Amino acid sequence: MGTILVTGSLGQIGTELVTLISQKYGKSRIIASDVRVPEHDVFSGVETIKLDVSDSTAVHSAIRDNSITEIFHMAGILSALGERNPDLAFRVNALGTFNVLEAGIKEGVNKVVIPSTIGVFGPETPKDNVPVVTVTRPTTMYGVTKVTAELLSSYYRRKFGLDVRGVRYPGIISYKTPPSAGTTDYAVDMYYHAVAGKKYTCYLKQDTVLPMMYMPDALDSLIKIYEAPANKLRYTIEYNLSAFSFDPMTLHKSISKIIPDFRVDYKPDYRQEIADTWPRTLDTRAAVEDWGFSPRYDLDSMSRDMVKNLREMHVSV
Ligand code: SER
């Protein structure tokens, strides 16, 4: 039993992942790192360190000094923020992943888990039932850097035998850490506005269908692939994941079943152009067959759970 490093631990997925794995594998086995220093003891006793993944020396030291044997590399700049800051996206997503993989082999790490994304797809990718191996020629910096991360991961696995594994996440919906940097985050924002009793102005058109998933299923999937026997994995970090696909209008309808007077209008901005290059639906069979992907939430059960939790948190916008 070694020590697990989580990068990007204050991000949308990292925050919940640290809590989950510290309960599952023991607090003393986890080191939560992020480029930001947490203001308080966010992870109740889990050791936290400051780490900028784009700094190669710092990544090597963090792994060596803490005797790290496994890494969840969750640090990443999402699509909308990446389009506004392409240099930052390159440094964190491409260089950061290179640093983690390179340090992984040099420092003797046993396993690295890296999330990829639907952002690797582009305008030439088919729109529906997209297979794992397909055209991946994205037009966003986010996509370019995540395709790089996919190719680097496969390269390090094949060439150096490093155990790298991961999934292509769709839009992830959650209530604990409000996201703000992705194109799919309108969905989270819509729930916040609905519960706060406000009208929501959506930055995507009402009929923009994208693949999505609720956070408990996203976390469960990451643990499943992390624990899967290596010889069962046909792919590296390219496993397509999606629990369902919907457009903003359908999400509005689902929320309206619980909050009938909730109003939404539409004012597409630059994020529409990003969303227009992504597929509507994905073929997730490889994940089901190789490591038992089995999401539990559908759209309406997710809506009920989101609204219940946001109400308990008394959210405002
Ligand atoms: N949620 C991501 C984004 O919108 C896609 O994986 O950037």
Side-chain angles (χ1 to χ4, degrees), residues 12 78-80 116-119 142 169-172 181-185 278:
Q12 186 198 13
L78 292 181
S79 58
S116 186
T117 162
I118 54 168
Y142 177 55
Y169 274 135
I172 305 294
T183 300
T184 55
D185 294 340
W278 291 349

Side-chain angles (χ1 to χ4, degrees), residues 73 93-94 97-98 101 114-116 120 142-155 164 236-238:
H73 176 43
N93 298 351
T97 300
F98 172 75
L101 292 169
I114 303 179
S116 186
V120 297
Y142 177 55
V144 168
T145 57
K146 292 304 263 186
V147 170
T148 305
E150 287 193 351
L151 294 172
L152 283 171
S153 299
S154 294
Y155 180 82
V164 191
T236 310
I237 67 167
E238 304 92 348

Side-chain angles (χ1 to χ4, degrees), residues 165 225 227-233 290:
R165 37 179 88 192
I225 194 166
E227 291 183 343
N231 62 6
K232 292 274 186 240
L233 302 179
D290 289 8

Side-chain angles (χ1 to χ4, degrees), residues 169-183:
Y169 274 135
I172 305 294
I173 290 136
S174 68
Y175 58 87
K176 287 191 184 145
T177 309
S180 57
T183 300

